[in-house]
Structure formats: structure tokens, C-alpha cells
Amino acid sequence: MSKYWSPAISQLTPYVPGEQPKVDNLIKLNTNENPYPPSPKVAEAINHYPKERLRLYCDPDATALKQSLATHFELPYNNIFVGNGSDEVLALAFMAFFRQDKPLLLPETTYSFYDVYCHLYDIDYRQIPLSDDFKIDLSLYDQPNGGIIFANPNAPTGRLTPLAAIEALLQKNTESLVIIDEAYIDFGGESAVELSRRYDNVLIIQTFSKSRSLAGLRIGFALGHEDLIAGLERVKNSFNSYPLDSIAITGAVAALEDVEYFNETTQKIIDCREWTSEALTQLGFDVIPSKTNFVFTRHASLSGADLMQYLRSNNLLVRHFSKPGIENYLRITIGTQQEMTTLIDTLKQHPSL
Amino acid sequence: MSKYWSPAISQLTPYVPGEQPKVDNLIKLNTNENPYPPSPKVAEAINHYPKERLRLYCDPDATALKQSLATHFELPYNNIFVGNGSDEVLALAFMAFFRQDKPLLLPETTYSFYDVYCHLYDIDYRQIPLSDDFKIDLSLYDQPNGGIIFANPNAPTGRLTPLAAIEALLQKNTESLVIIDEAYIDFGGESAVELSRRYDNVLIIQTFSKSRSLAGLRIGFALGHEDLIAGLERVKNSFNSYPLDSIAITGAVAALEDVEYFNETTQKIIDCREWTSEALTQLGFDVIPSKTNFVFTRHASLSGADLMQYLRSNNLLVRHFSKPGIENYLRITIGTQQEMTTLIDTLKQHPSL
């Protein structure tokens, strides 16, 4: 606290990201990172980038990356926005679209950065409960609002909301914007990108951090009608002209172009998720059906906090949220088959399992 | 324009960065980039960075870079903040400190991103005129305010404000924060970092884009009292947890540690600036005394816009601002000696010179 702070700053509750441990011997299943390295084409592209060019500003429009995304998604160039990770894209989108008189609607349990943005921009919001089995019921969002946001699949639950329900929402909710955070869509979900071609009231946000294994390079993007992208560009260019550095642009293009590697690694993660879900079920865990690179799970007779500690003491790092209603769940990232076998073997050795 | 935009968005006038031409045959003296490549240690560090680690999130605190900066400036670790270029650091600082009831004070002619931030955050501001020879007179800032910001040396004028005048301001202005944007301080200016050890009402912002030749890697930082840094961290962690990617952190540390290369290249630029200023003067130009890597200059009998066009038609790109009062000036980045010789030779061939 300082008398020099803007008055609103002392009210903020910043987002707390999952731990990035400084030690190397842990099996890290706590921040939904991809267990496989990025495409070898990324290393090649970064190593070949002429470093003497770093003296020059990067392209403020990241044209090369937007063109790659346009080709990849078969969308016009001006339907694409890029930013420094999907968190920055979300932060700019909240500013561009959700500072409205009516409240923003969002799920009660979802990505916990959303309400942080609301506090940052003084946006009124209403949390809509999930069903008992953690489904998002979009019919509950049919009420006056200044915008709607949800993650699909949702985090930390892993649940997918069907595209038909999303389209029904877009047909009804024509006076405000619907943002769909598809950070985990590539692990078996069906993207709403198709809907963005036909509806101007939906913005899709995706990331290179999960399915493209580039969490360390900070690349996110948004897809939607050109008027929405123009709104995002106005805010971005009033905040920071060059959020993507030249190396990040280069690495992202290389990752996007290696479709074969992407298909192979995402399929391995999907297969391992199914194996892990089955193995956890056999150990007496409830596993919420996941379409992501993590599972959300609890054991009927063990507390989430205790289980997390037990795993940590065995060098396995998983994520636990103390939030009421989900305090007995663990969110476990899908690692390699070997890592998940170690997880299951370790759980089997738990005295109560 | 779209009905989905937040109402304030249509009022924004985004910042327009200097052109990054897509052709290669231009001598680019328009965006104050360093003519020398970054230290060879940067390329080495980036090439050796294990690219498979990019699957992991970067360190959200950029600890390695903050530690390097702490060592370099002999400051405590918690007096240091880092961000995605000094533009992002400025954007976060305006949010953290300048949303006050009283107006922000800033020079009438200065870095044109400052009033863009004011519009973005709805901050009331008052522009204080420069003297006729473009000096910042800090005694004019002794009036009620919610904060003060200026660049030192100022841009686009290149003028340095003496440290004694800054200290006098800090002694009088104890109820609001003074931010000093030292983007160009390493080209012969005296930094206020020393003052930040003794005054808690000053924040210094610097960048790796100019003197460290890393405009393409996006690294900026702020130095000041730990309570100021804590305010910046609150905003940053409510906006984007990881603005600096792993490669940028690695490259920045390598650049900072190569003090010898830094000294050598900044001295070459300073020497060439003095040569260029003298040569322009001999051609009948007024040259504002510069402590930056650019000169701000006009010719008594030629319009700035015409001169810019003449240079552009000879493959020399310089910056011209159409703002009244400086519309006949050009801002010319100091390139290599060879580039500046070409500039002077080209000017000599102008029919009216």
C-alpha cells in the first residue's frame, strides 16, 4: 500500500498462477503444460532467426503470424487478432467489450482470471452456477447482460459444452458479445470457429500454450467478425504496440505449420487422458469426463488438500483449489504415459487406497 | 464501430508507431533503433536456450532478469519491475498510479503515447508548454496534480533536463508520483536512478530497445521504491501473469551482462550524433542539443514535410510529426557513420541547400 497508488489498486486481488518450481526432479502436473516439446520446427526457426535483426522493432501487426492463422483456419486476415498469450488477449477483450452498464455473466466455477479482470476494470458481473455434475447450462444465461464469457471446455472441470447449445445462445443473445475461451479445445472438443463465420456476436480465444506446447513463448489469438477484431486492435494499440516479439512470431508460425506433429502429440495426450481416467476410476475416484489435457477428480473418502500433499511428498505436483464446492477435487494435467503410470502407482501406494 | 464495443472504445485514438517498412533497401532512421546488432552474447544465449523447455510456462516473475538488473544497478531485488517493453511498463504504471482526482501533468511536446494512455484510462491531464528552445521547465509543474510524467531526455526533442532540477521537483512534489521515462538516458544523460534510492515519489522507466539494441525482443523495466513496484506487480498480475517469454528473459540477461559491448556501441552512437549535429549545422539546420540516439532539427527555409519526402525519395526514412509547433522539424535517428554520411551527402544534393 502506498499513497501514490491509484485508489482502485488496493482493491485488486491479482491472479495467482500455478507454481513454477525451481527444482527439476518433480513430475509437474499442475499447470496444464504439454508433456511433449514443441515441434522441432520451432527450434529450427528460432535458431535460424537472424539475431542481428533484434535491433529492429518487431512487426507491430505480427503480419506473418496472422497470415498463418488465416490460412490455417480459412478465415480472412482481418478476422484475426494476436496477443501475448491468451491472458493478454482476454485482458484486452474485457476492456474492449465488457465495460457495459449491465453485468457480465460467467460460470460460478471457471478460469479464475475472469473475475480478476472484472475487478481491474470495475466490471459488474454475475456468476451462474454449474449443474451438480459441473455442466454449463447456457439456458440460464438468457437474462439481461453486458456480455457473456465461458471456457469451452471449461476449466478446471474439463467439461465440454456442445456446439448446438452455443449456437442457440448466439441466436438469442444478440445485444451483447459472447466470448468463448477455447484454450483446451484441441484435445477432443468441437471449436465454435465455424459459428464465428455466421454470427457477429461471438469471439473465440485460443492459445499456443497447451496443444502447441509453447507456454514459454506467450502466444494467444482471437477469431471473430472484423468489427470485433477492430475493437481489440484499438485497445491493443492504446496499450502496447508490439506485444509479440520477433522470436515469438517466428516460433508460433513454425508451430502452426507443423500440423502432423500437432495431430500426433494431441492424440497421444487424448489417449493417455482416457487411460488415466479409467485407472483413476478403478481406484475409486470420480472423474469428470474431460475433453482437455487434464482431469478433474476427487476421491469419496479423501480430502483434496491431503491428496495433493501426499502426491507432492512423492514428487508429483498437481493443482488443488480451496474454493468451496470444489475443495475436494484435484486438477491433474495429463503428462506422458510414463508420468501418468507413476501417478497411478503412487496413488495405489496411498495407505487408504 | 460495433454495438458490442465498450462505449469508451470508440473514443480512443490509438498510438501510431513509426513505419516498419517491408522493403530492405531503405536507410531506416525513423524509429530510433540502434544501428548496431545486439551483443553477440544475446544470439549465443538464445541459440543455446533449450527449446524443448518452451513447453513450460516462463517464470512469471522473470527472476533471472530482475536479479541481473538488481546487480547491474546495485538496487534491491524488490525495487525492480520488468515488462513487455517500456510501453507496457508505462501502460501498467498509468493504471497503477495516475488514475487520480487531480490531473496528470506532462510536457506539451513529448512521447505521444502518454496522452493515449490518459484516454484509455480516462485520466484527466494538463499539458505544460516547453520553453521556446524546447526545454522542460520543471518549476511550471509546481501546481496541484495527480502525478507528473516526462521523458528525460525528452522525445522527440532530445533535450536533457538536469538532475538538480528533478531533485528540486521531488522535494516539492511529495503528494503524487513523478515518473521519469529514461528510454534514451544511456546516450550521455545522467540517470535519476540515484534519486530513486533517496526519494519514494519517483519511478524510473527504461528499455532494452535503444541502447541495448533489442527493440525486437520487447523488454522494459522500472526502478523505484518497493511500494511502487508492489503497486505495479498488483496491476501486472491482474492483467497478464507472464508478459516476458523465456527467450526474451534469456536474451535480456545476456545483453545486460555485456557491459563492454554496451559501452562501445553507445559511445559510437554518441560520437556519430555529435558529427551529425555539426554537419547539419554547417548545412544551415537548427539542431536541438541532443543527449539521445536521434537529433531533432529543422531548416529555416524548408518545410519538414517536404524534406522528409525528399529524403524518402532517396531511400532515407526519417520521422516527421505534423503537430503544430514542431511541424517543420525532423527527428533523425543516429545510424552508423556510413549511414549518416549518406544522409548528409543526400541533403547536400538538395536543390535548395
Side-chain angles (χ1 to χ4, degrees):
Chain A
M1 187 65 193
S2 156
K3 69 176 174 178
Y4 304 117
W5 290 9
S6 303
I9 298 309
S10 52
Q11 310 302 321
L12 296 178
T13 308
Y15 178 73
V16 180
E19 181 186 356
Q20 294 295 327
K22 301 274 193 298
V23 291
D24 269 345
N25 62 337
L26 290 174
I27 297 182
K28 195 168 173 305
L29 307 175
N30 69 325
T31 52
N32 298 341
E33 289 148 334
N34 197 309
Y36 303 106
S39 157
K41 300 231 159 74
V42 172
E44 209 175 297
I46 293 177
N47 290 339
H48 280 85
Y49 183 87
K51 308 302 178 298
E52 64 275 12
R53 285 191 66 84
L54 291 174
R55 74 177 185 84
L56 299 170
Y57 280 95
C58 29
D59 173 5
D61 291 318
T63 312
L65 178 55
K66 284 187 188 172
Q67 278 170 345
S68 274
L69 286 163
T71 304
H72 184 85
F73 286 102
E74 299 179 353
L75 285 170
Y77 179 85
N78 56 7
N79 287 23
I80 290 159
F81 178 82
V82 296
N84 184 276
S86 60
D87 283 348
E88 188 191 61
V89 177
L90 285 162
L92 297 171
F94 271 64
M95 199 188 276
F97 306 114
F98 289 159
R99 288 185 302 168
Q100 308 283 356
D101 290 337
K102 294 178 191 157
L104 176 70
L105 307 181
L106 70 168
E108 192 171 18
T109 298
T110 190
Y111 183 35
S112 54
F113 222 136
Y114 301 154
D115 56 356
V116 174
Y117 298 131
C118 289
H119 292 292
L120 183 65
Y121 302 130
D122 198 21
I123 294 168
D124 186 25
Y125 64 99
R126 191 170 296 160
Q127 293 179 313
I128 312 290
L130 300 183
S131 71
D132 288 344
D133 56 352
F134 294 128
K135 285 184 182 140
I136 293 176
D137 179 355
L138 289 179
S139 71
L140 301 177
Y141 291 69
D142 187 12
Q143 56 174 291
N145 69 75
I148 294 173
I149 187 165
F150 58 94
N152 194 38
N154 198 17
T157 66
R159 277 266 194 212
L160 186 74
T161 302
L163 222 47
I166 294 173
E167 184 161 11
L169 174 72
L170 297 181
Q171 284 168 347
K172 277 186 291 191
N173 192 85
T174 56
E175 294 308 307
S176 78
L177 182 65
V178 178
I179 295 185
I180 306 177
D181 178 352
E182 292 191 339
Y184 300 101
I185 198 68
D186 292 327
F187 301 103
E190 199 178 358
S191 171
V193 169
E194 284 313 301
L195 298 177
S196 79
R197 298 178 206 275
R198 288 183 285 123
Y199 295 89
D200 69 354
N201 58 339
V202 62
L203 186 77
I204 318 290
I205 296 180
Q206 293 192 9
T207 177
F208 280 64
S209 297
K210 314 295 182 184
S211 57
R212 291 193 167 77
S213 210
L214 282 176
L217 211 52
R218 318 307 308 127
I219 305 121
F221 58 99
L223 309 172
H225 189 279
E226 64 180 81
D227 291 347
L228 301 176
I229 302 304
L232 281 170
E233 295 286 357
R234 288 180 80 85
V235 177
K236 173 248 177 190
N237 289 319
S238 297
F239 184 84
N240 184 9
S241 308
Y242 312 87
L244 280 192
D245 67 60
S246 298
I247 299 279
I249 294 170
T250 301
V253 170
L256 193 64
E257 287 176 349
D258 196 347
V259 174
E260 195 182 336
Y261 185 85
F262 167 83
N263 287 337
E264 184 193 318
T265 48
T266 49
Q267 191 57 51
K268 277 203 278 193
I269 291 165
I270 291 169
D271 292 345
C272 186
R273 176 188 70 211
E274 298 308 309
W275 179 89
T276 304
S277 299
E278 175 62 24
L280 286 168
T281 306
Q282 286 182 11
L283 282 174
F285 281 82
D286 291 334
V287 183
I288 306 298
S290 169
K291 290 288 183 187
T292 64
N293 69 337
F294 59 85
V295 289
F296 198 55
T297 186
R298 70 168 171 187
H299 194 277
S301 58
L302 294 169
S303 96
D306 289 350
L307 261 177
M308 182 193 67
Q309 280 309 327
Y310 167 75
L311 289 170
R312 170 111 206 187
S313 67
N314 285 280
N315 292 331
L316 284 148
L317 203 55
V318 302
R319 190 100 194 246
H320 172 254
F321 302 89
S322 50
K323 181 178 163 140
I326 60 169
E327 72 274 22
N328 278 329
Y329 282 81
L330 297 178
R331 194 195 67 185
I332 305 174
T333 303
I334 302 301
T336 60
Q337 181 62 52
Q338 190 181 355
E339 287 170 333
M340 302 322 278
T341 302
T342 302
L343 170 86
I344 297 296
D345 289 348
T346 305
L347 286 171
K348 280 181 181 162
Q349 286 158 31
H350 189 287
S352 311
L353 284 173
Chain B
M1 187 66 195
S2 156
K3 69 175 175 180
Y4 304 117
W5 290 8
S6 303
I9 297 309
S10 51
Q11 309 302 321
L12 296 179
T13 308
Y15 177 74
V16 179
E19 182 187 354
Q20 293 295 326
K22 302 275 194 298
V23 291
D24 270 345
N25 62 336
L26 291 173
I27 297 184
K28 196 170 173 302
L29 307 175
N30 69 325
T31 53
N32 298 342
E33 289 147 334
N34 197 310
Y36 303 106
S39 157
K41 300 235 160 75
V42 172
E44 208 176 296
I46 293 177
N47 290 339
H48 280 85
Y49 183 87
K51 308 301 178 300
E52 64 275 13
R53 285 192 67 85
L54 291 174
R55 74 176 186 84
L56 299 170
Y57 280 95
C58 29
D59 174 5
D61 291 319
T63 312
L65 178 55
K66 285 187 187 172
Q67 278 169 346
S68 274
L69 287 163
T71 304
H72 183 85
F73 287 100
E74 298 178 357
L75 285 170
Y77 178 86
N78 56 8
N79 287 23
I80 290 159
F81 179 81
V82 297
N84 184 277
S86 60
D87 284 347
E88 190 193 60
V89 177
L90 285 162
L92 298 171
F94 270 64
M95 199 188 276
F97 306 115
F98 289 158
R99 289 186 301 168
Q100 307 284 355
D101 290 337
K102 294 179 191 155
L104 177 68
L105 306 181
L106 71 167
E108 192 172 18
T109 298
T110 190
Y111 184 35
S112 54
F113 221 135
Y114 301 154
D115 55 357
V116 173
Y117 298 131
C118 289
H119 292 292
L120 183 66
Y121 302 131
D122 199 21
I123 294 168
D124 186 24
Y125 65 99
R126 190 171 297 161
Q127 293 178 313
I128 312 291
L130 300 182
S131 71
D132 288 344
D133 57 352
F134 294 130
K135 285 184 182 141
I136 294 176
D137 178 356
L138 288 179
S139 72
L140 301 177
Y141 291 69
D142 187 13
Q143 55 174 293
N145 69 75
I148 294 172
I149 187 165
F150 59 93
N152 194 37
N154 198 16
T157 66
R159 277 264 193 214
L160 186 74
T161 301
L163 221 47
I166 294 174
E167 183 160 13
L169 175 72
L170 297 181
Q171 284 168 349
K172 277 187 290 192
N173 193 84
T174 56
E175 294 306 308
S176 77
L177 182 65
V178 177
I179 294 185
I180 306 177
D181 179 352
E182 293 190 340
Y184 299 102
I185 197 68
D186 293 326
F187 300 102
E190 198 179 358
S191 171
V193 168
E194 285 313 301
L195 298 177
S196 80
R197 298 177 206 276
R198 289 183 283 124
Y199 295 89
D200 70 353
N201 57 340
V202 63
L203 186 77
I204 318 289
I205 296 180
Q206 294 192 8
T207 177
F208 280 64
S209 297
K210 314 294 182 185
S211 56
R212 293 195 165 76
S213 211
L214 283 177
L217 212 51
R218 320 305 310 125
I219 305 122
F221 58 99
L223 308 172
H225 189 279
E226 64 180 81
D227 290 347
L228 301 175
I229 302 304
L232 281 169
E233 294 286 358
R234 288 180 79 85
V235 176
K236 174 247 177 190
N237 289 320
S238 297
F239 184 85
N240 184 10
S241 308
Y242 312 87
L244 280 193
D245 67 59
S246 298
I247 300 278
I249 294 170
T250 302
V253 169
L256 193 65
E257 288 176 350
D258 197 347
V259 174
E260 195 182 338
Y261 184 86
F262 167 84
N263 288 338
E264 183 192 320
T265 49
T266 49
Q267 191 57 51
K268 278 202 279 193
I269 291 165
I270 292 168
D271 293 346
C272 187
R273 175 188 71 211
E274 298 307 310
W275 180 90
T276 305
S277 300
E278 175 61 24
L280 285 168
T281 305
Q282 286 182 9
L283 283 174
F285 281 82
D286 291 335
V287 183
I288 306 299
S290 169
K291 290 289 184 187
T292 63
N293 68 337
F294 58 83
V295 289
F296 198 55
T297 186
R298 71 169 168 184
H299 194 277
S301 59
L302 294 170
S303 95
D306 289 349
L307 262 178
M308 182 193 67
Q309 280 310 325
Y310 167 75
L311 289 171
R312 169 112 206 186
S313 67
N314 285 281
N315 291 330
L316 284 149
L317 203 56
V318 302
R319 191 97 194 248
H320 172 255
F321 301 90
S322 51
K323 181 176 162 143
I326 60 169
E327 72 274 22
N328 277 329
Y329 282 81
L330 297 179
R331 194 196 65 186
I332 305 174
T333 304
I334 302 301
T336 60
Q337 182 61 52
Q338 189 180 355
E339 288 170 332
M340 302 323 277
T341 302
T342 302
L343 171 86
I344 297 297
D345 289 348
T346 305
L347 286 171
K348 280 181 181 163
Q349 287 159 28
H350 190 287
S352 310
L353 283 174

